[in-house]
Amino acid sequence: MSVDRKTLESLSAPDHMHTRVNALAFTDGAPSRETVEKVYDHLDFLHGVNVYLNAFQGASTWALRQGFISIGAEDNSVVMFSELMDSQSLFLTANADTVYYVSIIDLTSGPMVVETPPMALGIFDDMWFHWIIDFGLPGPDRGEGGRFLLAPPGYDGPLPDSGFHVGYSGTNQALMLGRSFLQDDDPKPTVAVIKDRLKIYPYVPGGYGTSVATLLEGKVPPGKSAESPETRFVEASGKAFNTIPPSDFGFYEILNAMVQEQPATATDPETMGQLAAIGIVKGEKFDPDERMRKILDEAAAVGHATARAALFDVRDAEGVRYYPDSAWTNMLFPGGYTFETPPPLVTEDGIKPFPPGGAKKLNVRTLFFFGYTGISPAMCMRLTGIGSQYLVAFRDTDDAYFDGAKTYKMSLPPDIPAARFWSITLYDNQTRSMLQTPQRFPRAGSQSYPTPAADAEADGSTTIHIAPEKPDGVGEGNWIQTDPDKGFFVILRLYSPLASYFDKTWKPGEIDQVR
């Protein structure tokens, strides 16, 4: 008795196939030489596209590091925006509302201590954008500032008994990304506190945080913490420099540099396998031949196009639309900071976590890291009064992308749910950085620095006008300038969001084209 013909046909290769890889030929299931070459070219292309989509975060952190070095900020120094970040520097969707201070912490010589300032919103991520630990209001210091000890990969040496918040990095460097609030719409007092309190120095075992009882066990030698060196701040306000990876063959070169400097186990084996499939292997030279380089050039182009499609025109099935029949999206609520499980619900009966999702939302992860910087549970928690929330719009009420030559307006209803402040910022479609116009700070909001605060209407609502020229009768604080030759997208930020945001009883108006 033999297997029926239908079963055999379902698992057999016909002599000829017509696919998107063009015509493929087989002889009793054995591929022709021409078919083998076609499918291997296609397989290498697929791996190249997958690397672009699934490893963008590694290239992003490496580009950040190279951007800092370009302005003289070596590892363990702090890139400081004392006058706030503006549109001169290229950062993925940064804001012009808070004081930024950013550093790459070098862990190659052992654990490092970072003393953080109070009243911050900050995160430590590794160089693959894996979250390590928060600092500031959402962190274990709860906004009071504290000592954070970052341990390098595989560290098994002594750690203090207490006195430090310990985080473990999977990479030899870690990213510190801090934001602090203005005081009375003035960055100067905030900057002074940061420069006074922020310190970065090596951890010395057996000193502060280690009890005498522990020393007497004989496992940790007595030590005395050395005087912390003066923190080196590199002023970046108004400087023009780039922190965004390229989208051509150079993308793979940046990833190779990252892989060579990090442990082979710095990220998951699946991603490392995709990198290895295109020739990026820890300890080996990345030297693609002419054929492979041509394939990777095309793979970068297709990966780039795919990431842009995911960011600008995300499919409804991904679940990022925050309100029904609205252009406003929130990228992290479908899968949380792991892109797998939504953030817990916060109810009157307590916090209720969701069960593990079991599958990564790969398209959401791609669009997130292509458009944004850093990752943390605090970026998508449903707690009121802590952290910040983001709503992003790429289209107007006619379902068209925003055009810098046109005039738009939007209305924010009364009682905007932000205990600290709110802002609206425009971003260049190409760079995903703040839109460059003569206005310098492409934002409007409730703060009166660095641009005038927006004025509310008599009914408590606030109307924002978005146009290349300020409309007649509109105040400076209610207008964001556009470039007639550039497309843009819009982010609404709510700092210390309130319950009406999470329960959606408050909803921002859509963005209407006026002319």
Side-chain angles (χ1 to χ4, degrees):
M1 183 176 181
S2 61
V3 176
D4 64 85
R5 177 179 294 275
K6 186 175 181 180
T7 298
L8 288 173
E9 288 178 351
S10 71
L11 55 86
S12 300
D15 290 345
H16 299 282
M17 293 183 186
H18 296 279
T19 71
R20 66 176 56 200
V21 191
N22 298 318
L24 304 176
F26 300 83
T27 300
D28 193 26
S32 69
R33 172 51 51 191
E34 183 181 19
T35 293
V36 169
E37 291 175 354
K38 285 180 181 178
V39 295
Y40 273 132
D41 282 352
H42 184 59
L43 182 62
D44 290 337
F45 170 75
L46 289 177
H47 286 312
V49 173
N50 280 329
V51 165
Y52 191 99
L53 300 180
N54 298 325
F56 191 93
Q57 52 269 47
S60 188
T61 59
W62 203 252
L64 272 168
R65 191 184 187 203
Q66 302 314 303
F68 297 164
I69 291 171
S70 75
I71 61 169
E74 302 292 338
D75 292 353
N76 299 333
S77 57
V78 179
V79 178
M80 186 80 185
F81 290 88
S82 299
E83 298 176 5
L84 305 191
M85 195 181 294
D86 62 21
S87 58
Q88 292 302 305
S89 54
L90 300 184
F91 276 80
L92 292 176
T93 52
N95 69 63
D97 304 301
T98 57
V99 177
Y100 274 94
Y101 41 102
V102 194
S103 180
I104 300 294
I105 312 297
D106 184 16
L107 305 174
T108 55
S109 297
M112 295 289 288
V113 176
V114 182
E115 295 186 16
T116 61
M119 298 307 294
L121 283 176
I123 57 176
F124 292 105
D125 283 346
D126 75 11
M127 298 299 282
W128 280 104
F129 272 143
H130 299 139
W131 175 67
I132 299 173
I133 192 171
D134 291 323
F135 67 91
L137 291 169
D141 61 305
R142 301 306 295 270
E144 295 182 7
R147 289 183 174 91
F148 287 78
L149 193 157
L150 301 178
Y155 179 75
D156 60 358
L159 291 172
D161 299 324
S162 64
F164 294 83
H165 308 295
V166 180
Y168 295 88
S169 175
T171 54
N172 293 325
Q173 293 81 30
L175 170 69
M176 179 196 75
L177 175 59
R179 296 164 293 157
S180 288
F181 304 116
L182 310 186
Q183 297 182 36
D184 297 323
D185 287 341
D186 184 356
K188 293 185 181 64
T190 300
V191 170
V193 170
I194 295 168
K195 289 187 173 182
D196 179 61
R197 296 283 296 272
L198 181 57
K199 301 182 187 302
I200 301 171
Y201 54 89
Y203 169 67
V204 178
Y208 175 85
T210 301
S211 68
V212 172
T214 297
L215 295 178
L216 293 176
E217 293 175 357
K219 298 177 182 178
V220 181
K224 183 177 181 181
S225 300
E227 286 288 326
S228 60
E230 183 177 349
T231 305
R232 181 169 178 262
F233 291 91
V234 177
E235 185 54 55
S237 293
K239 287 187 177 180
F241 63 103
N242 176 47
T243 68
I244 303 171
S247 289
D248 53 18
F249 180 77
F251 173 84
Y252 302 105
E253 293 177 307
I254 282 181
L255 269 175
N256 178 63
M258 242 282 287
V259 167
Q260 299 308 325
E261 189 151 338
Q262 306 305 333
T265 56
T267 192
D268 62 279
E270 185 78 17
T271 300
M272 294 301 288
Q274 290 179 355
L275 289 161
I278 62 170
I280 298 176
V281 180
K282 171 77 172 177
E284 298 182 12
K285 184 178 180 180
F286 176 53
D287 188 22
D289 59 19
E290 183 177 350
R291 165 193 160 274
M292 191 64 180
R293 179 165 182 140
K294 182 179 178 182
I295 287 172
L296 290 180
D297 274 330
E298 185 180 5
V302 172
H304 184 198
T306 306
R308 285 188 176 273
L311 179 67
F312 285 87
D313 199 4
V314 61
R315 293 183 289 195
D316 283 344
E318 304 295 352
V320 304
R321 196 180 298 275
Y322 196 63
Y323 306 95
D325 302 319
S326 172
W328 293 108
T329 61
N330 184 309
M331 312 72 74
L332 290 178
F333 274 71
Y337 79 100
T338 63
F339 304 98
E340 178 188 349
T341 305
L345 294 174
V346 180
T347 72
E348 293 181 354
D349 299 323
I351 294 176
K352 296 185 177 181
F354 287 91
K360 294 283 187 183
K361 296 183 179 296
L362 299 181
N363 296 337
V364 177
R365 184 179 66 185
T366 291
L367 75 86
F368 183 83
F369 287 118
F370 185 73
Y372 312 97
T373 300
I375 193 67
S376 158
M379 297 175 77
C380 57
M381 61 185 175
R382 304 178 202 263
L383 289 171
T384 60
I386 301 177
S388 52
Q389 284 295 316
Y390 315 91
L391 290 171
V392 190
F394 296 93
R395 294 175 179 270
D396 64 17
T397 49
D398 293 324
D399 200 31
Y401 291 130
F402 298 116
D403 181 343
K406 296 177 180 176
T407 297
Y408 302 89
K409 72 174 182 178
M410 64 172 294
S411 178
L412 300 175
D415 301 319
I416 298 171
R420 289 189 182 276
F421 64 90
W422 62 268
S423 72
I424 294 172
T425 308
L426 305 190
Y427 294 92
D428 184 317
N429 282 351
Q430 292 283 16
T431 65
R432 294 93 74 202
S433 302
M434 281 188 274
L435 185 67
Q436 293 186 353
T437 71
Q439 202 175 51
R440 185 182 175 191
F441 299 100
R443 49 83 66 188
S446 56
Q447 295 188 142
S448 61
Y449 185 95
T451 57
D455 294 322
E457 308 287 343
D459 65 357
S461 65
T462 303
T463 301
I464 302 299
H465 301 259
I466 302 171
E469 302 292 337
K470 186 168 71 68
D472 292 340
V474 172
E476 288 287 343
N478 294 71
W479 166 59
I480 310 176
Q481 189 173 25
T482 58
D483 180 340
D485 296 323
K486 299 294 298 180
F488 62 90
F489 60 97
V490 182
I491 297 184
L492 167 62
R493 287 179 169 85
L494 305 170
Y495 284 86
S496 297
L498 302 176
S500 60
Y501 169 77
F502 295 109
D503 65 21
K504 302 180 184 180
T505 54
W506 183 90
K507 176 185 175 184
E510 303 299 304
I511 302 176
D512 295 305
Q513 180 186 328
V514 177
R515 62 178 184 275

